[in-house]
Structure formats: structure tokens, C-alpha cells
Amino acid sequence: LALYAAKRGGKHGWRQYENELHEEIVRRAAVRASLDRAIAEHDIRLDYQPVVELDGGRVVGFEALVRWPHPEHGLLLPDRFIPLAEETGQIVPLGRWILRQALQEAAGWSARSGDDIWVAVNVSAQQFADRGFADVVATALHAFDIEPALVVLELTESSLLPYEGDKARKILGGLKDLGVRIALDDFGTGFSSLSHLSELPVDILKIDKSFVARITESPDGLALVEGIVRIAEALRISVVAEGIEARDQWAALKGIGCDFGQGFLFGRPMNADSVHELLGSVL
Ligand code: C2E
Ligand code: MG
Ligand code: MG
Ligand code: MG
């Protein structure tokens, strides 16, 4: 702190730093209280983005993405409040609500479409670390009577990082015993280690949109994604490419044998009612 104050110019800098710190604490307390209220009063909602089979365009699943329509700040996207909820620990109750809401809303999709439709739910590191997490999942599967294999839990590599290989494998193994599938999200952005892939019981790998953005820009960009697809194939892991916005990206990914894709080209995140209208159609 002293160093920071010194950088800001001695005594005056210190005063300003104190003021800023105070404002920040007040702001956070306010957001925290309103997030508590929003969770309690169900003002938070989930939108769903379609995942399609790249060969043919059939919808195979949806990813649940949390939204907070805020009375003063407008529609808040997850980046505006998930990190904060992680800091305050509110992510644990919020994450439980998200999981239950997603499973409840998804429970009728397969029957309605006449085809298996999966639902993917993002899980924060803290939820994953919570000892009760597997029970939360088990209880929700039971309560909403949804086929466990149709539930995908998305984790990032960084949320697995704090664990020595064996511990992460044990926790994931406990979840896999429930019959759900595990996806590694934003693959390639963190401290990717190929050993994670072979050591952990991962079913799906999601290639981050930053890689997808580069595939039609340079041959190297495409080669990189093709390498990831080949490795996943060898390990019998399915691949979902994220952030597909253009037809040439779709074509390139299909060409290298990538199984599934997600992106604005196929559909933006939509509310649960729109999901119902879309089921059974081909994009
Ligand atoms: P993610 O899991 O990688 O989700 C994909 C993000 O990419 C979503 O942003 C989605 O709207 C966006 N996206 C999809 N297609 C395209 C595209 O074609 N182009 C571009 N530019 N973007 C695309 P969103 O909804 O803002 O979510 C951001 C991140 O917040 C998610 O990244 C995920 O890490 C986190 N998040 C979202 N919902 C939840 C949740 O329920 N729980 C937790 N713990 N985290 C969540
Ligand atoms: Mg995700
Ligand atoms: Mg992602
Ligand atoms: Mg992401």
C-alpha cells in the first residue's frame, strides 16, 4: 500500500488511495447485497445457446449462460458479476441455483424434440472445490428426472489447476459416477497441459473462440486447431468449437473433422421459450 501511495505522489496520493479504496468497498457491498436479493427473488435468469453437429447442422444441445437483468445497470453479462460472486463466495448458492434451474428447464427438451438434447452448465472452481458439490448434482438429477448422460458440466483448466493430478481425477471421478459428462472449457487459453487431457476423465473439449477466430486468417491457425482435434480424437474426446461467427469458419472446422460447434452463426444465447420453438429444427 505504501508503495502504491508513494507512486501516486506522497501524502496526497495516500489520501486519494484511501478514498478510492473506500469507494470500492462501498460499491462491492452494494453489488453484493443486490446480488443476494436477486438470487433470493429469482431475478437472475438463464439463456441457452445452441450447440450443433457441424456435419449437418442438427442441434444436439444447449449451453446455459447466466444473465442478470439489473434494474439500474441494464442486462448484466456474467463477466460483470460472476468474478465478484466468486470473490464473496456467493457463487456457491448462485451456482446451485443455476444448476437446478438448467436441469429443470432442460428436463423436457429431449421428449419434445424426439432426440437426445444435452444441457451444458458452467461450474466455477469454488463450486467444484465444495465438498457438497457432487450431492448437489445428484439431488438435482433426481429432482428433475433428467438422464444424467444429457448433463454436461463445463470446467476450465484453471479451475483444475490447484489440484495435484490425482485429487482432480478423484473429484471428477465422483461426478462421472453419477453419469454426467465433463467438458474442459476455453481449452488452450490457460496453462494447457496435454497431460491433463490424458489423465483426467474428460468427455468433451471446447476449443476457445480465440483459436476459432484465427483459423481462416492463417494456415498456422488452422493447423493448430487441427492438431487439437487429432489429439482429442486419439483420446476419444469429443470436440466443440466455440465462437463460430462465419460460414468459412464452419466449413474449415467441418473439413478437419471437428464434431460440434457453437457460435453466433448458429444462434445467440436465447431464453427458454425460444429453445422450445427451436427444438426439432435444423439450423
Ligand atoms: P464460456 O463458458 O466460454 O461461454 C461462451 C461465451 O461466449 C458466452 O459469453 C457466449 O455468449 C459467448 N459467445 C458464444 N458464441 C459467440 C460468438 O460467436 N462470438 C463471440 N464473440 N462470443 C460468443 P457470456 O454469456 O458473456 O459468458 C461469458 C463467460 O461467463 C462464460 O464463458 C463462462 O465462463 C461464464 N459463465 C456464463 N454463465 C455462467 C454460469 O452459469 N456459471 C458460471 N460459473 N460461469 C458462467
Ligand atoms: Mg462454457
Ligand atoms: Mg468457453
Ligand atoms: Mg469463455
Side-chain angles (χ1 to χ4, degrees):
L1 293 187
L3 201 75
Y4 182 85
K7 273 198 200 137
R8 302 291 299 262
K11 246 190 171 150
H12 176 70
W14 178 255
R15 171 71 47 78
Q16 189 178 338
Y17 172 74
E18 273 191 327
N19 285 342
E20 283 170 11
L21 190 65
H22 182 72
E23 277 168 26
E24 180 62 14
I25 290 169
V26 170
R27 193 185 67 82
R28 276 170 190 250
V31 178
R32 181 185 176 147
S34 69
L35 183 55
D36 269 338
R37 224 172 12 250
I39 297 170
E41 291 168 13
H42 306 297
D43 288 340
I44 306 253
R45 70 153 200 265
L46 297 179
D47 278 355
Y48 297 91
Q49 185 179 37
V51 181
V52 306
E53 199 167 53
L54 290 182
D55 191 6
R58 190 173 59 101
V59 175
V60 294
F62 289 85
E63 177 178 8
L65 295 160
V66 68
R67 268 90 182 101
W68 181 8
H70 194 280
E72 289 147 48
H73 306 299
L75 183 67
L76 296 185
L77 294 176
D79 292 343
R80 290 279 302 280
F81 60 95
I82 290 289
L84 194 87
E86 285 171 341
E87 248 174 70
T88 62
Q90 286 165 302
I91 190 66
V92 173
L94 176 60
R96 188 189 314 125
W97 181 85
I98 290 170
L99 182 83
R100 293 180 61 86
Q101 179 75 2
L103 267 53
Q104 180 167 29
E105 290 187 310
W109 290 350
S110 295
R112 187 177 174 104
S113 84
D115 213 343
D116 282 348
I117 304 287
W118 83 59
V119 63
V121 182
N122 292 284
V123 175
S124 283
Q126 267 187 67
Q127 288 176 269
F128 180 68
D130 194 77
R131 283 179 163 276
F133 184 60
D135 282 340
V136 168
V137 177
T139 305
L141 288 169
H142 185 73
F144 305 115
D145 194 23
I146 185 167
E147 180 79 46
L150 296 179
V151 175
V152 177
L153 301 179
E154 297 196 0
L155 288 148
T156 60
E157 293 181 290
S158 54
S159 63
L160 300 177
L161 215 61
Y163 304 95
E164 295 301 325
D166 207 40
K167 178 81 191 203
R169 189 164 59 215
K170 273 199 186 125
I171 304 178
L172 288 176
L175 295 170
K176 295 271 312 178
D177 286 345
L178 301 173
V180 301
R181 289 187 289 161
I182 306 293
L184 210 49
D185 204 354
D186 302 345
F187 186 77
T189 57
F191 296 90
S192 299
S193 160
L194 290 176
S195 66
H196 282 158
L197 274 189
S198 58
E199 285 165 6
L200 298 173
V202 169
D203 304 283
I204 297 168
L205 189 152
K206 300 192 75 174
I207 299 180
D208 191 69
K209 51 179 170 279
S210 57
F211 293 102
V212 172
R214 272 177 265 150
I215 55 178
T216 46
E217 279 166 17
S218 77
D220 286 356
L222 183 62
L224 194 62
V225 174
E226 183 166 14
I228 298 173
V229 170
R230 291 289 88 79
I231 290 168
E233 216 169 58
L235 298 171
R236 288 176 301 280
I237 294 172
S238 307
V239 178
V240 178
E242 297 190 284
I244 303 177
E245 295 180 352
R247 298 195 84 86
D248 57 347
Q249 292 170 337
W250 179 11
L253 287 161
K254 197 160 66 173
I256 58 173
C258 179
D259 314 308
F260 306 108
Q262 210 178 321
F264 296 164
L265 178 67
F266 305 110
R268 294 198 173 242
M270 61 187 82
N271 62 36
D273 290 341
S274 307
V275 170
H276 267 235
E277 287 164 27
L278 196 113
L279 287 172
S281 64
V282 173
L283 293 180

